[in-house]
Structures are given as structure tokens and as C-alpha cells.
Amino acid sequence: MTAKTTASGVPYDAQGEMTDQARRDAAMKGFVKEFGAVAASHLESCVRCGMCSEACHFYVATGNPAYTPIHKLQPFEQAYKRHAGPFSPVYRLFGLVPSVTVEKLQEWERLIFDACTMCGRCTLACPMGIDIAELIKKARHGMFKAGLIPDRLQLMDRTARAWGSPATPAEDFADIIRDTGEELGVPMNVDRDKAEYLVTVAPAELTEHTKALADAAKVFNAAGLDWTYHTEGFEASNIGYLNGDLELQEKMTRKLIDCAVKIGAKTLVLPECGHAYGAARWEAARWYGGEVPVRVIHMTELLAEVVNSGKIRLKPIAQSATFHDPCQLVRRGGVNEAPRDVMKALDLKLTELENTKALTWCCGGGGGVVSNTRADPIRYKAFELKKREVDATGTQRFVTACGQCRITLNLGAKHFKWDKKVESLLELVADNLAD
Amino acid sequence: MTLLDFARGPALQAALVIFIIGALWRFIGALLLPWRLVPAQPREGSPGTVSAWLKGMAVKMWPHEPFAKHGAFQFINGYIFHVGLAIVVFLFVPHILFIQGLTGLSWPGLPNSFVTVIGVVTAASLVAALLHRLRSPVLQLISRVDDYISWLLTFLPVLTGLLATAHLGARYETMLALHILSICVFLIWFPFGKLMHAFLFAFSRGMTGVRLGQRGAEL
Amino acid sequence: MVTPQTLGEILEGRGVSRRAFLKYSSYLSALMALPPSMAPAMAQGLAAARRQSVIWLSFQECTGCTESITRSMSPTLESLIFDTISLDYHHTLQAASGEAAEHAREKAMADNKGKYVVVVDGSVPLKDGGLYSTIAGVSNLKMLQDTCKDALAVISVGTCAAFGGIPKANPNPTGAVGIDEIIKDKPVINIPGCPPIPEAMTGSVAYLVAFGKIPELDHLKRPKAFFGDSIHDRCYRRPYYERGEFAEGFDDDGARKGYCLYKVGCKGPVTYNACATLKWNGGVSFPIQSGHGCLGCSEPDFWDQGGFYRPLSTSMPGMGMALAGAAAVGAALGVGAALTARKHQQAYIREQAAKGDEK
Amino acid sequence: MTASPNGREAPTLTGMADAVLSEVAARLADFAASGATAVIELTSMPLTVQDRAALDEKLGRGEVSAEVSAAGRSEVWETAFAGVWFVRHYGEGGRISSESIEITRVPLLLESHPDDARAAARRLAELCAQAQTHTGATPGSDGA
């Protein structure tokens, strides 16, 4: 893993000892596998109107035209036109569309990974309905095969493959759970043979935010649910979904689903994490031929269920608050009302951000960007958009429902010395359970 | 065989043939690629595939509020020349008669002087669109030759049409012939450039409509 | 041979005063859109001119043009033209026939060598040496060439003489052509129309007689004074065209209200003639005013423009088949392209699997 | 000469009359100042029946009106404005074949043409000669 720069002076990371030609071929193979009718209908319809740029926080915050979302797909589209489009035989025969060069892929690594959180706001802006976020994810498969992904994501990929989680080896998982339980005096269930609910965790919760593990336990116990954590299926964040490593994505997803089936759980609860929801809720069926044998829900959906069904009652906080809608949960996931139901139950008087629900600005850290330190400068710029809108609401509390967003927003707050505390919805519920 | 006879006869016929061949070739060629839809379980209460598809097509016709504000020019000017072109092409009586000759379908048209005014507005709007493409740094970066060819081949029929209606530029038959020839070139280029979005948008919007619609997400 | 009198002297004997000449000239200059100030000059020119010898040749024609020009024979202002020319040969109108008629023609050509005008109506057949139309055993082609040898100018009267007209209509069995495709070395004035408007003929001839030169012609050699504007531009129903009020048939409400006839095949927009202003039968009416669309009779090949009742902007017939064929070819190409792309993808995926790319 | 459309009441006043009127005024001013004569041709103008009547009514009638019968009938009259003359020629069946407004001392049409006068002189001389044979001597005729 070495940081390099292209002839045109653009920094990129490269993994593995492949020759340039081999790297390019691997990328093309990765791309070509993605060119189905769905990608074709999108890639054939762009009219270069530029409206997606106005939706992208990286372009709006920096003003750099290179961050125009559709521009980030240029090599992917070129490969499509040359290898899979209806006119591809003609383009190849007359050399009308050149094959993608490895320099271009190296140059575009920064645009496909650093400058895109796959938040999907551009997809909502595109008048032709091109799902640019989806296509970026497809493009990342090829980039991974070519070994042209940010080193930090490669690092996390290797640890996840080795340990089953980027945060901790699987063996230590049960101890972390029990230690946290004892430390915070919360009864914990781990590695039970049978349970109705299999609860999974995010990497941050295994390192700094271990309190979240206890918070989840408190809620499940208060609601009288039959639940457990489990060593064979605990890591919900799916690095393969972010860095294009399809094999890892499949392996991580299968671990969760198979473990849930093994312990007879009817519901698999994902933690407060964005891409975990995207990977497990919407793409698990990809590995299970259309029928996922277990109900997959996000922690926020679980909270709304137990609150709305009266399984738990909450003490009112009676303060003003604003909410950051995590992109993968709301814009890409459709869970609009659940967090608001919970906040109402907490008697938090919600003032919506100027851009909210499906139109919210992304925190700037999703899709592996926060882990990829090379992207920090533009991430901080994007953070300012969110900071300005939160300040504008003037509310006392600032809540969200995704660990990655909280990390990103906290890093931004520290960088700008912003005294706003970013709070987790789960934590608020756990701390305000009525006795 | 005057220029007008050539334009109205063999040239237009050849152009229509190439248009149909190219359009079907690209359309079927793109959509017969493997569909491989990711079979995710839709959220209950989310619309079925067909209604999600149609919803996707309908919702994209109007931008969400923040994008209407920032992309205002593209969105408003875009509609002006699209609606303008639609009125001029489909509600101008001579055009309706041409379509009737080809397909047998007919419908009432708008007064010619009204359509001429619309034609002028459309031409101005197209010029504004070109200026915007030339001035905006984003569009400068992502624009290609196709965008400029497609613009020119859409603008020329409007221009020659207006000149023919106003009996300017050349003898009426010559300008009418140029008008028809400009349409022939437009039809020949249509399937190979971005003008195909006129057909493919339905599929592109539909796919996203289904993917996000079945997640219960906003489109 | 007594010196030929001037027109003025000849007509004086008939009680036609110079005032009549002035009146006729102002009428003609209005007709030909000449500046009014030219009327006195024209009157003077006419009065001083010799009687113009005219030889009228009729070939493949229906005598409609002769009918039209003679229609204005009634003794009024318009008829004055016939006093200014000496019609030395017209085998429909003249009394003599057979040898005597041909002899009269040759004598007129000899007497006025280089100064007589040849007026032709009807097209000339060229196929099989022109044997499809002969007069006294002489083919029209030969007679035309001989007669025009010493002519001052040739005036083709009617669409047949000008552009070949009906005889030239598809399939043109006799190989009929317009006069100016044969006579290349003499100035030719085309006065098309089926038949042409009488004033167009008399005006042009009078102009030639008065000023001794050809009036201004357009690219089809037609006098711009009469063929400068399209019927559409001078049509009184144009406001209906602009307001989008059309007759859908010949007996519907629109037709009765006198709406525009574009939808029932009017060829006004592409036809250049003076019908809409001068009108016919002495200004009584013209085709559109009496409810029928213009046929475009003063334009070349007006018979073969796809039908008098097909609107001008309708596509040419017979496109259906070609388009269906195109659809089939397009679909085939589409399927072919998709299959090659799928094969291409499979090859890639197999090759990758074979290389055991699993890390 | 614009007849009313088939079966419909003729279109009303089109304002052409006022346009012609203003041009006549301009030409009359020139004529009054510099004596420059002018002719405004009305034949091919799209004047409706109402326009023509309005023009006639506005110009009115002056002190002179004449009837000319030479190759058909014509009327010439001075309008209420000295120097502005109306000349109208009638063709077959009373149809107006051509019409114009002349701004001049007197329209050319009314003048006797020198050639006509020469011919007339001859005829008058013959007449006198015949008269002389009937009534004997006639003072002063030179018998051309």
C-alpha cells in the first residue's frame, strides 16, 4: 500500500503488485459485470444538465466542478460505452470510444472514494432519474478489483476479513459485552442459543462508544424482549459495501443472517449505523436469491416499534431539538417517521433543519469518507453546511441515529471548535426510560 | 426534382428509416442487457413495481424545492423550450397534417400566429440554454461534442421553420426545403446522441422509481 | 410596300384616341406594378410602335390558353391589346387553312425577319423524333425550331408551353418538354397557368411592344409583375390561416364560413401567380374565393405533387412500408447488440473466475 | 378590388383609407410647395368596399367632375382639396379596372393630346370645306 501521484499530479493509493495493464483489465472486468439494463438505462440517459452538482455537498461547499456527481462516473460510463452499450461494437471497431486508461482510473480514485459519500442527494436532483449513488457503488467494485482504493479502506478491509470486524477480533467480542455490562450495571445477553431478536453492533460501539451496547440492552430488557448479542454475528457495519469488495460484503452479510437463523431469531436488529442498513436491509436478498429468511430492521425502527406499541414509556425531556436524518436510513432507506415518533415520545420539540428528511445535507463522512483521512479537507468544508443549518435552528439538542454521522459531526465540531454536542437517539431513549 | 421535392420525398424517407433503425437498435440494445434487479423485500405499504415506476417518472418532472432554487435556470428554461418544442411540433396545423399523413392520427391545432410566437420564444430559450452551457464551469467540464451537435440540430429546425413561416431568408420553397432537410439531419442524429433521452428517460426514471419507491423512500 | 403605319396612326382611323392609349397604359402599369409615372411613357411607346407581328404556334395543347386570352375580346379596355398586335398566324382563329395557312406564316416570318414574336401554347413531344404531334406533316419540334430562328422573342403561354404541363405529367408517354428546353438562343418569357390569367398574357405582350424589351423575369423566366408573389401571401383568406380557422372538407361549417382551405390541399403557399389580386373572368373570382384550393397550376409538374387534395405538408405517400422495414432492421440490430454485449460480459466473468481471482 | 369572402359579410374598415389619406396630404404639401406632381395607384391596394367609401367621403368632391369615354368609361373628379384629383377607369361590366389619386394641376387624361388635336384639325378642316360647298364662301378657312 503506497501513496502515489499520477503524471498529472493527482494523489492516489494503489494496493497489490499488479502491472498497470493488469490493474486496468481488472477494473474493466469489475465494471463490465455491472453493466446490466439498469446501469444501461441510467448511463444512456444523461443530458449533461449539471443539476446534480447543485445537490452535492462537496461541490456546493468547495465550488470545484470536478465534484459534479455525474463527472465522477466518467470512466465507468466510458467503459460502458466501449464494452456493453448497444453501439459498443461500432465504438470499438472505429475506435470512437477509447478504452479507459489506468491513469484515468488512478486520477478518478479520489473522486469516486474521497469525494462521494454515496448519500444519493444527487439522485433526487437528477431530472433523468439517474441513480448516481448506486452507479458509484457499482464503479467501486471495479476499482477494488484494480486495487485502486484509499489505503485506509484497504486497511479496514484486511482487518474485517481477518477479525470479522474492523474494530475488534471476534474472540474478544463476548468479553467486551460482559465487561460493559458489569461496568454500567446493565444485564447483558450474549451468545444465547435461542432468542427472538439478534442485536448487532457498529465498530465504534466496540471501542469508544461502548455505552451504546448497554443502552441497547437497557431498552431491550425494559421492553421485555427475548434478545441476545452473538459472537458469530455481531459486526453490522459492512466495509465491503463501501469499498467495492463484493466478496467481503457477502461474507459479512451472510454472517449476520446465518447467525440469526441459527439462533431462531425472527428479527435481526442493526445498530445505529447508516451503511449497515443499506447492506443488510436492501442487498442481503442478493445473496439469498430474493427471500431473506429473517426480518431486518434498524435500531431506530426498533425504538419506534417499542415506543409506539407502549412496550416502553419515556420520561419527557421537554427541550427543543433538531435531527440529522442519516442518508442511508432516510433518503436511501425510507425510515422518515420512526425517529420523529421516538423524539415525540421523548417530548423533544423538533425544529426541522432547512434541508431535512430525504433532502437533508449529508454529514460528509458516510461511504467510507470519514475513515479516509485523505478526504478530510473537503469533509470539513461539507460539514460547515450542516453546522450552519443546525445553528440556524437555535435548538438546545442536536440528535442523530447513526454512529458514523456522529463521529463525522463530532470531528467537524472539534475542528471548528463548535460547542454543539451530537447525541444518539438510542442513548436518549435508554437514559430516559420511565421506571 | 427540386430541392423541396428531394427534401419532402427521398431525404425525409431516408431520415425516418435511419431514425427508426437507430432508435430501436439503441433502445433494445440497452434494455436487453441482463436486468439482474436486486430482489430486496419492499417495505410494506410501499407501491408495487408498476406504480413505483410511474411514480418515478411523474415525480422527476418537477424538482424538489432546494434543487428548484439552485438549478432554477436549467429547470425553468428547460421547460420553456421543451414545452415550446412540443407545442410547435405537435400543435401546428401543417405538422399535424404531416403526422396524419404518416400515421392517420389527427387532433385540433392552435392558431398559426400563436404557434409562431411560441416558436420565437423556443428559439430564444434554446439560445439561452447554449449560453448557460458555455458559461457555467460545471457544464464546461462535463459537456461533450454530442451536447453541442444535439443543440445545433434542435435549433436549426426551429430557426428555418420560423424563417419559412415569415417568408424570410430565401424563397419560401427553398427555406421550406432547408427546414425539412434540417429535420432530416435532426432525425438521423437523434438515436446516436443525447436526444435519445426523449425515450430512455422513462426507463432511467422508472428504475430509480422502483428501487427507491419500494424502500418507501422519497423519489 | 407602303411603310407600315405606327400603331397610333392605325388606331386613330378606328377612333382610338391617344387618351385611350394613356388610359390603357395606366391600367397596364398598375397591372404590372410599374411606377404610375411610367404610364405616359408607355402610352407614348405604344403609340409610336409598329404593329407587332405575332406568330402563334399551338402544339400539344387544349386551346384553353387561346380561350383564355380571347375571352377578353369584348370591346373594352382589355381588348385593346389585340389592336396593337397583328396576329399573322393562329390556326384556330385564322380563316385560311392547309397550304395557305403555312404560306401565310412563312410570309409573315420573311416580312418581319428578326422582329416578329413567336407565341407558343402547348408542349413539344421529343420522343421518337417528335412524331407524336405534327402540323401539315411537319413535327412540332421542327416547326418550332424553324419558326423561332429569326424571332425577336418567344412567349410560352400556359404551363404546357412553359414547363411541359399535362402532357409531361407522369409517365409522359410523348417525352413532352417545355419550350425553353428546346429554344436556348432566344429570350423566352414563360407565362404559366392552366390556363394563365389573360391580363398576364396581354400585360407581358404589351410591355414587350411598348418598351421593346423583356419585362423582369424570375428564376423560372416568369414576369415578376404577375408571378412575384405567392397566392398564399396575397390571399384574402390568410387571416383565417393565421387564426387557425380551417375548412376540414368542402361542405363543412368551415368551408361555408370561407375559412382557409390549407387542410383540403390548397397549394397557395408554394404557387406564384396573380390570381389572388387580378382574379379571373375580369376580377369576378378565383379558385380559392369560390371555395376550392389552389392547384398550383403555374408551377412545374403541378400534376405530380402527390394529389390536389393532400395538404401541402403531408408526407409523400408510400412511406409506410419503408418504415416498417426499418423497424425490423432496428430491432434486429438491437437484439444483436444486446447479445454480443451479454456474451462479452459472460466471457469477462468466466475468465475472471477461471483466474481464481478470489483473494 | 378586394371582394368580400364567399358568403360572409365583408371585413370592416381596415384603416387603409387613413394610410392613403396621410400620403395624399404629404404629396399635396410637396405639390403646394414645389409643384412636384404625384400619382398614388390604388388598384392593387387591399382596399375593402368600406375603405374605398371612407376615402371618397373624406376627400369629398370639389368644383370639377368629368366623364371620359375612351376605350370604356372613366370618371375624373377634383376632390374637396384643390390639386387632389380622383381618376377611376371602369372595365367590363362596370367593374373598376384601375383607380388612382393624382396630385397635379389637372390630370393628363383630361388634356387633349397634340396628336389627337392634329387629327381633329384635319377633320374640322374637311368639315368646313364641306360646309363651304353648301353655303358658298366662308371667311378665312385655309382649307389645310
Side-chain angles (χ1 to χ4, degrees):
Chain A
M1 285 196 292
T2 49
K4 299 191 177 73
T5 46
T6 64
S8 54
V10 172
Y12 72 95
D13 296 340
Q15 296 84 30
E17 292 319 317
M18 286 187 268
T19 63
D20 282 352
Q21 189 57 32
R23 235 181 250 283
R24 195 189 63 78
D25 290 348
M28 285 308 112
K29 290 198 185 69
F31 285 173
V32 163
K33 275 176 68 178
E34 297 300 335
F35 296 147
V38 173
S41 72
H42 289 325
L43 292 170
E44 292 277 354
S45 307
C46 176
V47 292
R48 265 85 56 195
C49 71
M51 284 185 83
C52 54
S53 62
E54 294 299 334
C56 175
H57 46 270
F58 287 121
Y59 168 74
V60 169
T62 63
N64 177 356
Y67 295 146
T68 303
I70 199 71
H71 181 62
K72 297 167 186 167
L73 287 171
Q74 205 277 320
F76 188 66
E77 188 202 0
Q78 186 178 329
Y80 164 77
K81 285 254 168 14
R82 184 174 169 82
H83 294 290
F87 299 143
S88 51
V90 172
Y91 289 151
R92 281 199 300 272
L93 194 64
F94 298 105
L96 295 174
V97 175
S99 57
V100 179
T101 63
V102 74
E103 284 76 25
K104 176 168 273 194
L105 292 173
Q106 291 159 353
E107 209 178 304
W108 248 259
E109 177 188 309
R110 195 169 53 78
L111 295 181
I112 293 176
F113 284 95
D114 302 20
C116 179
T117 58
M118 300 199 287
C119 76
R121 196 162 192 270
C122 51
T123 301
L124 289 188
C126 172
M128 291 297 126
I130 299 169
D131 194 344
I132 303 171
E134 192 64 29
L135 295 178
I136 291 279
K137 178 152 67 62
K138 287 181 190 288
R140 290 188 175 187
H141 298 152
M143 296 297 277
F144 177 81
K145 284 278 183 305
L148 288 171
I149 69 170
D151 285 342
R152 297 299 294 267
L153 297 185
Q154 179 62 17
L155 193 65
M156 293 170 71
D157 187 280
R158 187 167 309 113
T159 37
R161 277 180 181 271
W163 287 352
S165 153
T168 163
E171 308 80 42
D172 305 346
F173 174 69
D175 302 341
I176 298 172
I177 297 293
R178 285 191 197 89
D179 296 351
T180 313
E182 278 135 27
E183 196 188 314
L184 298 173
V186 173
M188 298 289 238
N189 302 328
V190 63
D191 293 345
R192 289 175 55 201
D193 300 339
K194 270 278 170 279
E196 283 286 310
Y197 288 84
L198 170 64
V199 185
T200 59
V201 301
E205 293 170 353
L206 296 168
T207 48
E208 311 111 62
H209 299 158
T210 49
K211 176 173 184 298
L213 302 173
D215 292 341
K218 279 166 72 180
V219 170
F220 274 88
N221 297 337
L225 300 177
D226 171 17
W227 69 280
T228 182
Y229 288 117
H230 207 289
T231 308
E232 285 167 29
F234 67 95
E235 179 50 70
S237 89
N238 196 324
I239 188 68
Y241 182 80
L242 306 177
N243 65 5
D245 184 352
L246 266 178
E247 285 82 13
L248 180 58
Q249 178 182 341
E250 178 177 0
K251 193 182 294 178
M252 304 277 284
T253 310
R254 280 192 186 280
K255 262 206 189 117
L256 299 185
I257 308 286
D258 296 348
C259 173
V261 169
K262 192 173 143 215
I263 65 167
K266 278 205 268 331
T267 306
L268 166 68
V269 181
L270 301 170
E272 280 197 328
C273 170
H275 285 84
Y277 194 65
R281 176 65 178 84
W282 304 118
E283 295 211 351
R286 179 178 181 145
W287 324 112
Y288 288 84
E291 258 322 297
V292 180
V294 67
R295 185 169 79 111
V296 178
I297 59 169
H298 192 266
M299 181 59 77
T300 310
E301 288 174 298
L302 183 281
L303 291 178
E305 263 174 36
V306 292
V307 162
N308 292 341
S309 62
K311 284 203 173 80
I312 58 169
R313 284 183 337 296
L314 299 170
K315 286 183 282 188
I317 301 178
Q319 284 186 313
S320 65
T322 187
F323 184 74
H324 162 67
D325 293 282
C327 305
Q328 293 301 323
L329 184 62
V330 177
R331 181 170 26 247
R332 300 290 293 179
V335 180
N336 297 16
E337 291 323 312
R340 284 158 178 83
D341 293 350
V342 174
M343 290 179 78
K344 201 183 295 103
L346 283 164
D347 189 18
L348 280 168
K349 279 181 281 319
L350 173 61
T351 312
E352 296 285 1
L353 293 170
E354 186 195 338
N355 287 289
T356 183
K357 288 189 178 160
L359 295 169
T360 191
W361 285 110
C362 172
C363 70
V369 171
V370 70
S371 328
N372 170 13
T373 49
R374 187 175 61 191
D376 288 354
I378 56 172
R379 177 164 56 78
Y380 287 132
K381 275 209 161 36
F383 166 76
E384 285 182 293
L385 294 176
K386 184 61 69 177
K387 172 173 178 297
R388 209 175 304 131
E389 285 198 359
V390 171
D391 287 345
T393 60
T395 54
Q396 294 152 306
R397 314 292 285 268
F398 175 35
V399 189
T400 187
C402 160
Q404 288 287 84
C405 294
R406 233 172 41 256
I407 293 168
T408 308
L409 294 170
N410 283 331
L411 283 172
K414 198 145 50 43
H415 183 81
F416 287 97
K417 301 190 180 41
W418 186 40
D419 61 0
K420 206 71 180 181
K421 184 163 167 299
V422 189
E423 298 174 271
S424 142
L425 196 59
L426 169 64
E427 197 170 356
L428 284 177
V429 168
D431 296 349
N432 293 284
L433 287 170
D435 311 336
Chain B
M1 172 67 78
T2 63
L3 185 66
L4 183 58
D5 296 338
F6 169 68
R8 289 183 56 209
L12 194 56
Q13 191 159 3
L16 279 169
V17 163
I18 294 172
F19 167 73
I20 288 177
I21 290 178
L24 282 172
W25 173 5
R26 182 167 179 185
F27 197 79
I28 293 173
L31 296 175
L32 278 189
L33 291 172
W35 275 63
R36 281 207 304 262
L37 274 179
V38 177
Q41 267 121 315
R43 185 182 297 285
E44 339 83 56
S46 66
T49 313
V50 173
S51 54
W53 185 288
L54 295 176
K55 187 161 178 281
M57 280 175 61
V59 164
K60 286 289 166 185
M61 291 175 71
W62 203 260
H64 293 283
E65 194 271 332
F67 310 136
K69 205 151 28 72
H70 291 292
F73 176 81
Q74 283 286 51
F75 145 61
I76 293 166
N77 188 52
Y79 262 116
I80 291 175
F81 70 77
H82 273 88
V83 171
L85 281 171
I87 290 177
V88 168
V89 171
F90 294 107
L91 292 179
F92 183 51
V93 172
H95 291 164
I96 298 172
L97 292 169
F98 174 75
I99 295 166
Q100 185 179 22
L102 211 58
T103 63
L105 304 172
S106 178
W107 52 85
L110 289 177
N112 292 15
S113 40
F114 176 73
V115 172
T116 308
V117 168
I118 296 287
V120 172
V121 168
T122 306
S125 167
L126 280 169
V127 169
L130 179 68
L131 292 180
H132 181 251
R133 185 173 289 284
L134 291 172
R135 272 208 321 274
S136 142
V138 166
L139 293 182
Q140 266 312 291
L141 178 69
I142 63 174
S143 289
R144 303 168 184 174
V145 174
D146 169 15
D147 300 308
Y148 297 107
I149 294 177
S150 301
W151 180 85
L152 183 68
L153 298 185
T154 308
F155 183 70
L156 280 181
V158 178
L159 182 68
T160 49
L162 285 172
L163 288 175
T165 318
H167 292 229
L168 292 173
R171 285 177 66 82
Y172 177 72
E173 300 74 47
T174 318
M175 191 47 79
L176 188 61
L178 291 179
H179 178 62
I180 295 172
L181 287 173
S182 69
I183 287 163
C184 291
V185 179
F186 169 84
L187 284 172
I188 290 168
W189 170 256
F190 191 102
F192 307 101
K194 80 173 183 186
L195 296 175
M196 263 306 269
H197 75 273
F199 298 133
L200 288 164
F201 83 95
F203 276 82
S204 179
R205 288 184 183 176
M207 301 278 191
T208 304
V210 169
R211 177 178 310 117
L212 294 183
Q214 295 193 329
R215 298 183 184 182
E218 231 177 284
L219 298 185
Chain C
M1 216 183 46
V2 72
T3 59
Q5 293 169 302
T6 67
L7 277 183
E9 289 149 1
I10 296 163
L11 293 179
E12 208 179 288
R14 297 220 204 105
V16 177
S17 65
R18 286 295 178 287
R19 182 175 277 120
F21 269 95
L22 179 62
K23 186 169 150 179
Y24 181 65
S25 307
S26 65
Y27 162 70
L28 266 184
S29 60
L31 213 62
M32 301 189 67
L34 299 172
S37 55
M38 282 181 71
M42 191 168 186
Q44 191 53 39
L46 273 176
R50 292 284 173 280
R51 264 176 76 108
Q52 176 59 54
S53 161
V54 168
I55 294 179
W56 187 297
L57 298 176
S58 295
F59 297 129
Q60 288 192 125
E61 41 77 31
C62 65
T63 320
C65 297
T66 308
E67 185 69 35
S68 168
I69 194 164
T70 51
R71 173 59 42 74
S72 54
M73 273 302 272
S74 57
T76 59
L77 179 66
E78 291 81 1
S79 70
L80 201 55
I81 176 65
F82 287 94
D83 304 333
T84 60
I85 62 169
S86 105
L87 194 55
D88 298 337
Y89 178 83
H90 189 301
H91 56 65
T92 314
L93 299 176
Q94 69 190 40
S97 65
E99 274 311 317
E102 296 318 312
H103 178 60
R105 179 169 57 80
E106 272 121 22
K107 181 181 181 306
M109 284 161 62
D111 294 355
N112 307 284
K113 199 166 183 355
K115 291 199 294 308
Y116 61 84
V117 165
V118 177
V119 174
V120 188
D121 75 325
S123 61
V124 173
L126 297 182
K127 201 180 278 179
D128 305 336
L131 57 84
Y132 293 106
S133 173
T134 62
I135 301 170
V138 174
S139 78
N140 295 162
L141 176 64
K142 189 163 184 336
M143 178 177 289
L144 178 72
Q145 284 160 338
D146 298 347
T147 315
C148 289
K149 221 170 17 311
D150 302 322
L152 169 70
V154 181
I155 300 181
S156 305
V157 165
T159 301
C160 296
F163 308 128
I166 299 160
K168 183 168 178 272
N170 204 352
N172 192 359
T174 68
V177 289
I179 302 306
D180 60 0
E181 287 184 36
I182 302 165
I183 305 299
K184 305 276 188 201
D185 54 355
K186 294 286 179 184
V188 174
I189 306 175
N190 284 334
I191 304 185
C194 187
I197 299 174
E199 284 82 356
M201 289 189 270
T202 52
S204 303
V205 171
Y207 185 94
L208 186 63
V209 167
F211 299 110
K213 60 182 171 59
I214 308 281
E216 200 190 339
L217 304 177
D218 74 2
H219 69 295
L220 292 173
K221 301 199 183 80
R222 303 176 294 193
K224 281 197 172 152
F226 301 104
F227 300 92
D229 288 328
S230 71
I231 305 292
H232 189 62
D233 281 351
R234 304 305 295 268
C235 179
Y236 73 96
R237 296 193 178 193
R238 183 63 180 274
Y240 299 124
Y241 173 83
E242 294 306 338
R243 285 201 295 269
E245 293 167 329
F246 296 95
E248 303 289 337
F250 288 107
D251 190 23
D252 70 348
D253 182 51
R256 273 190 291 280
K257 286 210 180 82
Y259 286 172
C260 170
L261 299 168
Y262 188 91
K263 284 190 151 182
V264 285
C266 179
K267 302 296 186 297
V270 288
T271 307
Y272 290 78
N273 205 339
C275 310
T277 44
L278 295 186
K279 304 200 181 173
W280 285 82
N281 309 322
V284 169
S285 173
F286 71 110
I288 293 171
Q289 186 175 329
S290 44
H292 191 285
C294 162
L295 300 185
C297 72
S298 61
E299 297 301 322
D301 307 327
F302 73 98
W303 280 94
D304 302 329
Q305 295 303 331
F308 292 144
Y309 301 102
R310 288 174 68 85
L312 194 56
S313 61
T314 312
S315 59
M316 301 305 272
M319 280 214 186
M321 275 317 299
L323 303 189
V329 169
L333 281 171
V335 171
L339 290 181
T340 43
R342 281 170 178 257
K343 213 155 40 46
H344 200 64
Q345 280 175 330
Q346 255 77 33
Y348 260 70
I349 295 164
R350 264 200 315 284
E351 193 185 310
Q352 204 174 35
K355 234 170 59 179
D357 234 345
E358 297 315 307
K359 275 209 185 60
Chain D
M1 284 199 303
T2 310
S4 73
N6 178 13
R8 233 175 90 139
E9 170 265 323
T12 53
L13 220 55
T14 63
M16 279 300 289
D18 301 335
V20 171
L21 211 60
S22 58
E23 188 177 352
V24 169
R27 293 288 89 71
L28 185 56
D30 298 346
F31 175 67
S34 63
T37 64
V39 176
I40 300 168
E41 187 54 47
L42 301 178
T43 324
S44 50
M45 279 192 192
L47 288 163
T48 64
V49 179
Q50 276 78 352
D51 291 335
R52 200 177 303 285
L55 196 58
D56 198 357
E57 186 238 333
K58 284 192 175 119
L59 286 175
R61 291 301 159 91
E63 294 154 345
V64 177
S65 75
E67 180 98 9
V68 176
S69 51
R73 193 172 66 85
S74 301
E75 282 172 359
V76 177
W77 67 85
E78 187 194 40
T79 65
F81 307 91
V84 179
W85 296 78
F86 222 106
V87 180
R88 180 177 288 168
H89 303 300
Y90 291 96
E92 207 180 321
R95 186 186 53 77
I96 298 170
S97 68
S98 92
E99 188 178 27
S100 55
I101 297 177
E102 294 197 21
I103 290 94
T104 173
R105 292 168 62 93
V106 68
L108 214 56
L109 192 66
L110 293 184
E111 286 176 6
S112 303
H113 195 282
D115 295 357
D116 288 345
R118 210 170 296 113
R122 261 201 317 282
R123 274 190 285 111
L124 191 52
E126 279 153 26
L127 187 65
C128 295
Q130 283 159 9
Q132 205 175 29
T133 53
H134 293 309
T135 61
T138 313
S141 71
D142 61 12

